[in-house]
Amino acid sequence: IGDRILAAVGSGTAVLSLCGSAFIVLCYLLFKELRKFSFKLVFFLALSDMFCSFFSIIGDPSDGFFCYAQDYSAHFFCVASFLWTTTIAFTLHRTVVKHKTDVEDFGSLFNLYVWGTSLAMTVMRSIGSDSGTWCWTGTKHTGKVAHFITFYAPLWGAILYNGFTYYQVNRMLSNATRMAVGMSDRSYQFDAGADKKALSRWGYYPLILIGSWAFATINRVHNFFYPGHKIFWLSFADVCFAGLMGLFNSIAYGLNSSVRRAIAERFEMYPERFRRWVPSKPKGQQEHELASL
């Protein structure tokens, strides 16, 4: 019964993430004004989340081939997901902190880095692996160690990198705001304050990965040392929060002011009785969330 509950929860959360990620992908494909470099990175993040969720739903644990195919496909796209968050953090840091305008030149390098690393981690994962995502019956320590190295090591590396990057961005904006206050430059205070308000929310993005995978990490460590003593509530939290990563990313990264503006503009073509349900924002505040990128 416990395994059925975990499977149902995992499928349910994956469906929510699939819907949220697919919505962001659809917005990018439908709205031409969103096809800027900054949102293109968000598009690839949502695309990775979408396939990660999709392959987490399908698969037959009783069939060896499909079990492994589902396992490695989900592994590939889940790794790609949190690697794309590092490219967004890098782009933000290079633009805001280093004041560089050449971020679009890194597009091909980003794709090589994300997809290449994800493929390498997935191939390495196959070394010594004897279990799939829903087939945790394997007891080989080699496979468990490989899973830690190829999944949780890059995951927590991404968390540390994103946290450090967003800390530097927010610190720089805080210093700029204090300088503006000292110079009594009201116009600059407004611009820096607006940017900081938008970017301070980005500082919470590393918490998405932590919240999504903290229980999973603890559960894997516990299962490594105590393979025969599973804790149901820990496994439940593991499956639940890990499955919601795509939904969290789609809300945090995707549903920014640019997306809401594009959707609102489309609703303006509909009758008044439909438009009144769409919130509007002052034009001066519409681009702050992606202004720095």
Side-chain angles (χ1 to χ4, degrees):
I1 298 177
D3 291 338
R4 292 180 180 179
I5 294 176
L6 294 178
V9 171
S11 298
T13 55
V15 168
L16 293 176
S17 291
L18 177 64
C19 293
S21 302
F23 175 76
I24 300 303
V25 170
L26 189 63
C27 286
Y28 178 84
L29 296 177
L30 292 179
F31 306 146
K32 294 183 179 180
E33 61 268 32
L34 295 178
R35 298 175 190 175
K36 301 176 183 179
F37 181 76
S38 57
F39 200 78
K40 187 176 183 179
L41 300 179
V42 177
F43 163 74
F44 280 121
L45 170 62
L47 191 68
S48 300
D49 282 330
M50 185 177 71
F51 282 109
C52 175
S53 301
F54 173 75
F55 285 110
S56 296
I57 297 172
I58 66 172
D60 184 3
S62 62
D63 188 302
F65 174 78
F66 286 105
C67 184
Y68 284 111
Q70 175 258 354
D71 180 25
Y72 295 134
S73 299
H75 185 275
F76 175 86
F77 286 106
C78 288
V79 171
S81 173
F82 52 75
L83 290 182
W84 277 116
T85 66
T86 63
T87 66
I88 296 174
F90 174 86
T91 302
L92 182 65
H93 182 271
R94 188 170 182 83
T95 305
V96 177
V97 178
K98 294 189 175 182
H99 306 290
K100 300 291 186 178
T101 58
D102 59 347
V103 288
E104 294 190 23
D105 297 337
F106 289 87
S108 299
L109 188 61
F110 285 163
N111 278 280
L112 180 62
Y113 153 67
V114 173
W115 304 123
T117 303
S118 300
L119 179 61
M121 293 297 102
T122 304
V123 172
M124 290 175 60
R125 168 75 198 282
S126 64
I127 300 175
S129 179
D130 64 332
S131 60
T133 301
W134 295 111
C135 317
W136 291 110
T137 56
T139 58
K140 290 184 180 179
H141 280 248
T142 304
K144 294 180 179 180
V145 171
H147 189 52
F148 277 114
I149 295 175
T150 60
F151 189 88
Y152 289 97
L155 166 66
W156 286 97
I159 290 173
L160 293 175
Y161 175 79
N162 290 352
F164 177 74
T165 299
Y166 288 121
Y167 167 76
Q168 285 193 320
V169 170
N170 281 300
R171 185 180 64 174
M172 193 218 70
L173 290 175
S174 297
N175 293 336
T177 303
R178 284 197 295 269
M179 289 178 61
V181 172
M183 294 184 298
S184 299
D185 188 341
R186 292 183 175 274
S187 61
Y188 187 80
Q189 288 180 45
F190 174 79
D191 294 337
D195 282 343
K196 189 178 188 311
K197 182 179 179 181
L199 292 171
S200 63
R201 185 170 65 90
W202 288 39
Y204 293 100
Y205 288 175
L207 297 179
I208 295 176
L209 289 178
I210 296 176
S212 298
W213 295 104
F215 289 108
T217 304
I218 297 172
N219 195 30
R220 296 296 176 269
V221 172
H222 178 270
N223 289 339
F224 182 82
F225 290 103
Y226 306 99
H229 301 81
K230 293 185 178 181
I231 303 176
F232 179 77
W233 71 264
L234 186 59
S235 298
F236 183 90
D238 169 3
V239 173
C240 181
F241 285 97
L244 291 174
M245 180 184 67
L247 179 64
F248 293 153
N249 283 336
S250 63
I251 294 174
Y253 288 93
L255 290 180
N256 53 60
S257 59
S258 298
V259 175
R260 294 195 298 269
R261 178 188 178 186
I263 296 175
E265 288 177 350
R266 297 307 185 280
F267 269 91
E268 289 179 358
M269 297 183 295
Y270 290 92
E272 179 65 28
R273 64 177 179 272
F274 295 107
R275 283 187 288 156
R276 64 182 180 178
W277 297 102
V278 182
S280 59
K281 295 178 66 176
K283 291 185 177 181
Q285 300 178 7
Q286 288 174 342
E287 299 296 335
H288 277 307
E289 293 182 38
L290 290 177
S292 296
L293 292 182

